Amino acid sequence: MEKKNTTAVFDLRATPPVAERRPWRKTTHGRVLDDPLNWLAATNWRDVLRDPRALPRDIAALIKAENAYCAAVVAPMKTLRETLVTEMRGRIKEDDADVPDRDGVFAYYGRFRDGAEHPIYCRTPRDGGAETVLLDGEALAEGHDFFDIGDTAHSPDHAQLAWSVDDMGSELYAIRTRALADGRDRDDVVMETEGSIVWSADSASFYYIRVDENYRTAQVFHHVVGADPATDRLIIEEPDGAWFIGLEESRCRRFAIVSIRGHDASECWLLDLRDARLPPRLVARREPKLRYDVEPHGDLIFIHNNADGADDFRISVAPLDAPGRANWRDVVVHRAGVMIVSFTIFQDWLVWMARENSLPRIVIGNMESGEEHAIAFEEEAYALGLDVGLEFATDQLRFTYSSMTTPEETWDYDMRTRARVLRKRQEIPSGHDPKNYVTRRLFAPAPGETIPVTLLHRAGFAPGGAGAPLLLCGYGAYGHSLSAGFNEDVLSLVDRGFVVALAHVRGGTEKGWRWYEDGKLDKKANTFTDFIACARHLVATGYTREGAIVAQGASAGGLLMGAVANMAPELFAGVIAGVPFVDVLSTMMRDDLPLTPPEWLEWGNPLADEKVYDQLAGYSPYDNIRATRYPPILSIAGVTDPRVTYWEPLKWVAKLRATMTGGGPVLLHTHMGAGHAGASGRFEALEDTALEYAFALACAARISDDSA
């Protein structure tokens, strides 16, 4: 049923805050950068990430004034926002549960109680029986404004649980262990970790990653359960600030896999989980542009890699005791334009996810015979996910499937018989009929390219005439692809007459690795012009009209939002920028920020290269704000965000208001106790979504009023 837009209006009587201007100047390559708002970047930012109360008073006062102004402008939408939250919550099965994942004599799963913000983690005997609650996230979160459980890992003997939690939003996780016999946590809490946990084979110890003072995952440690964490043994350390460490358990459970990643290269090490005394084992030494991931299998090691010009990746195999580059032999060859996104292994099976022309598929290969087959899907656009489970010696593969019209389905697939069993279909308690909606895949023309666009709209809508208000979402960085999966929240816009579109712009990998390469460094402008091309194509095909598009993106997608707002403000009815990376030039010159050195390979290093300086200065949203009319803009940020610091959107909105000649309003809401991901509770997060959608509806209402 289509719903009416009710009370979607702005109250423009409030006076926006004005940020004080303090002289600040930096000269680089002879170029002078004047930034009178630079003072908003707190010099004690490291302390603020760990405790937002450390924020200097003058900065905190401005953030609170921005929050108050935002609240005043959107005050008329209070009832609408409450309605939206009720609708979105009505689509959530409150007592939802995962499909149990078998491991030995038990089956493990997470579930929610009615009304709970946070999950509880449970197990039963393998084939069913009485449930045991291992960790009650809802009870543990009581009294915390933010509470995110990062990892839960039961020990191989099933007698212990290790779990990590961030209670600030700053992505610093404390690891605790508990004996499952009595449910009591031990006193040896390991602080300031990345959150990942890999148990040793004897269940007496675990490996973890410690976050250093510069907020970098630089060290792998070994902790013996019950020991003082101060005595933990350093296993691997990465001194280069441009490289970060990751940690996971191998599928065969014999090793911990330590991946050390720069922005365009990687290096993997294996830790023997059966004997902590053995030194780490290097797979292949890092090389510029060489990216690889590994999975050991018996006396072999499988390697997903881009070596020797395999830009869209291949899968190779080598002897475990001689895994260097010289011994890599292909088992899945490289095919240009068919990107091998990821892979996994089982005792008898090699499985990989491939993407061609923006559509994913799952391919399964038999280890012994080499025979391959793919799992087929019929919709025009869809999303897939692999859930590889806990067991290695199995013929069962679990995967998820959804589309923008089809709620997520969890399937168990027998790789030997090729039989599928539906284990779970996402339930929409308030009701959902996929036949009421249409999903389409279009291709927008751009110079020398076509840009995939995925659409969702009501079944009764036909393009033509004045079109409809349209939410156009984009990202376009780091090779990340937008998923064309089911999003129950966005139905609240579609049911109110919106078309929702995903612009699969360059900078992602929807059309292979070259799609990413064509949207980074000196080709970054392609990301912005692709998004504009998608918007113009949707106007030309009658799905919407100029000035009726609400653009939405977050993080690096927030950079995209800032750029297109500067380049083509007339196209947009509004812009929603979540945790937006908008102060690109200044941030890329801050080599003291933890994410800046590795980011130079994505954006370029303006400190070392004056050409790069000029490129960033040419598109950085903060530095290219113009004296022109801007559409309404809403930004949402977090004080403890380590990825996009709070001051980027704070400076951006202040400069926008001071420079623009009309339009707006320009709004900023900053979470005082949350980070990059926003609120941690599943219902709390709906408040931000409701604010964004009410903002979009208000923008659409203004367009309707102007047309009347």
Side-chain angles (χ1 to χ4, degrees):
M1 178 183 297
E2 291 207 33
K3 304 175 186 294
K4 293 182 178 180
N5 302 347
T6 55
T7 61
V9 295
F10 299 119
D11 184 343
L12 301 179
R13 295 174 297 175
T15 302
V18 177
E20 181 184 347
R21 300 172 70 84
R22 303 177 186 177
W24 183 91
R25 173 173 289 185
K26 181 180 179 69
T27 302
T28 308
H29 307 303
R31 281 78 164 162
V32 177
L33 179 65
D34 282 305
D35 187 2
L37 299 177
N38 182 71
W39 67 273
L40 293 172
T43 57
N44 67 334
W45 59 268
R46 292 180 180 85
D47 298 329
V48 173
L49 288 175
R50 289 165 169 80
D51 184 354
R53 293 172 298 182
L55 196 66
R57 289 183 180 178
D58 49 358
I59 299 174
L62 180 61
I63 292 174
K64 291 175 182 176
E66 288 285 359
N67 285 352
Y69 174 65
C70 179
V73 172
V74 301
M77 307 177 207
K78 180 177 183 294
T79 300
L80 173 61
R81 289 164 62 190
E82 291 172 349
T83 299
L84 290 169
V85 169
T86 300
E87 283 178 17
M88 293 185 288
R89 185 162 179 166
R91 300 188 192 106
I92 297 174
K93 181 174 169 57
E94 297 212 2
D95 60 348
D96 200 12
D98 298 331
V99 179
D101 198 351
R102 291 175 173 176
D103 183 26
V105 298
F106 293 104
Y108 292 84
Y109 56 97
R111 67 174 178 85
F112 287 91
R113 298 189 184 96
D114 273 343
E117 296 276 4
H118 303 277
I120 59 176
Y121 298 90
C122 313
R123 75 180 178 194
T124 65
R126 180 183 180 92
D127 296 316
E131 176 185 85
T132 300
V133 174
L134 308 179
L135 190 73
D136 189 334
E138 185 72 359
L140 291 165
E142 188 173 347
H144 294 278
D145 292 333
F146 185 95
F147 192 85
D148 177 54
I149 295 174
D151 194 9
T152 59
H154 60 272
S155 58
D157 64 4
H158 302 277
Q160 302 175 86
L161 183 77
W163 58 286
S164 60
V165 66
D166 167 20
D167 59 8
M168 282 287 183
S170 54
E171 300 179 40
L172 294 171
Y173 290 84
I175 298 176
R176 293 173 169 82
T177 56
R178 64 174 46 181
L180 296 181
D182 59 15
R184 293 182 180 177
D185 288 337
R186 298 182 175 90
D187 294 331
D188 52 320
V189 181
V190 184
M191 301 298 293
E192 299 205 344
T193 82
E194 172 268 352
S196 299
I197 303 157
V198 176
W199 281 96
S200 61
D202 62 5
S203 302
S205 61
F206 60 82
Y207 294 91
Y208 67 92
I209 297 171
R210 187 172 293 173
V211 177
D212 68 14
E213 63 179 7
N214 287 321
Y215 233 81
R216 197 169 60 88
T217 54
Q219 300 168 318
V220 175
F221 279 85
H222 180 243
H223 176 72
V224 176
V225 174
D228 182 350
T231 66
D232 289 355
R233 184 164 59 95
L234 176 63
I235 305 299
I236 290 178
E237 183 172 22
E238 174 51 56
D240 191 330
W243 294 71
F244 290 73
I245 290 180
L247 176 70
E248 61 182 329
E249 186 180 48
S250 70
R251 291 280 296 126
C252 64
R253 293 190 172 177
R254 180 180 168 187
F255 298 100
I257 302 171
V258 178
S259 57
I260 307 177
R261 301 187 183 279
H263 197 77
D264 69 347
S266 60
E267 178 178 275
C268 293
W269 297 73
L270 302 180
L271 308 179
D272 197 317
L273 296 177
R274 300 172 303 186
D275 190 344
R277 298 169 298 179
L278 294 175
R281 183 187 307 190
L282 175 65
V283 176
R285 197 163 300 281
R286 66 187 69 172
E287 300 176 20
K289 303 288 186 181
L290 174 63
R291 296 169 176 260
Y292 73 94
D293 302 285
V294 302
E295 278 289 355
H297 184 284
D299 58 0
L300 299 174
I301 186 165
F302 285 79
I303 306 143
H304 170 240
N305 68 90
N306 68 343
D308 302 321
D311 291 341
D312 287 323
F313 291 83
R314 61 183 186 174
I315 301 175
S316 307
V317 68
L320 183 60
D321 59 1
R325 278 283 310 278
N327 296 322
W328 292 7
R329 174 178 57 83
D330 283 3
V331 290
V332 181
V333 299
H334 171 250
R335 291 174 56 205
V338 182
M339 184 172 172
I340 301 175
V341 179
S342 62
F343 86 116
T344 190
I345 61 171
F346 296 84
Q347 182 170 281
D348 297 329
W349 306 97
L350 173 64
V351 180
W352 63 98
M353 184 88 74
R355 185 187 300 118
E356 183 174 9
N357 206 20
S358 77
L359 285 178
R361 60 191 176 102
I362 297 170
V363 187
I364 298 165
N366 184 283
M367 291 277 197
E368 183 176 353
S369 68
E371 181 184 4
E372 297 177 7
H373 72 276
I375 306 178
F377 305 93
E378 296 179 355
E379 286 192 85
E380 192 170 331
Y382 54 83
L384 294 176
L386 287 177
D387 182 358
V388 298
L390 299 170
E391 295 192 319
F392 183 63
T394 179
D395 292 333
Q396 178 181 289
L397 172 69
R398 182 167 292 166
F399 68 87
T400 59
Y401 173 90
S402 73
S403 74
M404 294 184 77
T405 62
T406 306
E408 186 174 87
E409 299 169 345
T410 302
W411 291 85
D412 281 348
Y413 180 80
D414 190 308
M415 293 180 281
R416 200 168 299 277
T417 68
R418 306 188 185 184
R420 301 186 199 184
V421 177
L422 179 64
R423 296 298 307 277
K424 179 184 177 182
R425 178 174 283 118
Q426 181 182 354
E427 183 179 333
I428 309 298
S430 60
H432 174 73
D433 186 349
K435 294 178 182 178
N436 291 333
Y437 304 90
V438 173
T439 187
R440 293 285 316 280
R441 175 62 58 86
L442 305 179
F443 290 88
E449 290 290 355
T450 56
I451 317 303
V453 183
T454 307
L455 292 172
L456 174 70
H457 57 75
R458 291 282 303 188
F461 170 78
L470 185 142
L471 183 74
L472 182 60
C473 307
Y475 187 75
Y478 307 113
H480 174 75
S481 297
L482 287 184
S483 169
F486 188 69
N487 177 359
E488 63 272 22
D489 293 343
V490 82
L491 297 178
S492 287
L493 284 182
V494 177
D495 287 345
R496 288 175 169 81
F498 264 73
V499 173
V500 172
L502 308 179
H504 302 281
V505 297
R506 278 175 282 188
T509 51
E510 282 90 340
K511 296 177 78 170
W513 195 256
R514 62 118 184 155
W515 203 244
Y516 168 49
E517 295 284 353
D518 283 349
K520 63 184 289 195
L521 296 173
D522 59 345
K523 298 179 180 179
K524 187 62 203 172
N526 287 335
T527 303
F528 316 140
T529 55
D530 283 358
F531 191 86
I532 292 170
C534 291
R536 296 198 188 284
H537 184 65
L538 292 166
V539 171
T541 50
Y543 283 94
T544 189
R545 63 188 186 278
E546 185 173 295
I549 301 169
V550 179
Q552 182 182 46
S555 195
L559 159 62
L560 172 60
M561 296 300 100
V564 300
N566 287 335
M567 295 168 69
E570 71 284 353
L571 270 177
F572 304 108
V575 174
I576 302 171
V579 289
F581 176 41
V582 284
D583 193 10
V584 181
L585 180 60
S586 291
T587 295
M588 287 298 101
M589 290 196 293
R590 288 282 303 270
D591 57 3
D592 62 317
L593 294 175
L595 292 183
T596 291
E599 295 286 287
W600 286 333
L601 291 172
E602 178 79 17
W603 314 103
N605 182 353
L607 296 174
D609 189 332
E610 62 183 87
K611 182 179 178 181
V612 171
Y613 183 101
D614 293 340
Q615 287 168 353
L616 299 187
Y619 71 72
S620 174
Y622 177 71
D623 298 289
N624 286 276
I625 294 170
R626 298 188 286 137
T628 190
R629 183 179 183 85
Y630 278 84
I633 292 174
L634 169 66
S635 184
I636 296 178
V639 165
T640 58
D641 186 348
R643 299 172 185 262
V644 177
T645 51
Y646 72 84
W647 60 78
E648 294 207 28
L650 186 60
K651 291 171 60 177
W652 183 51
V653 300
K655 187 175 180 180
L656 273 165
R657 289 200 207 102
T659 308
M660 58 196 282
T661 58
V666 175
L667 308 176
L668 171 64
H669 176 75
T670 302
H671 290 282
M672 300 302 291
H676 200 66
S680 57
R682 59 174 177 159
F683 302 131
E684 292 171 340
L686 297 179
E687 298 290 343
D688 278 356
T689 306
L691 173 59
E692 293 177 356
Y693 289 177
F695 175 87
L697 289 165
C699 294
R702 294 178 104 193
I703 296 300
S704 298
D705 291 344
D706 291 344
S707 301

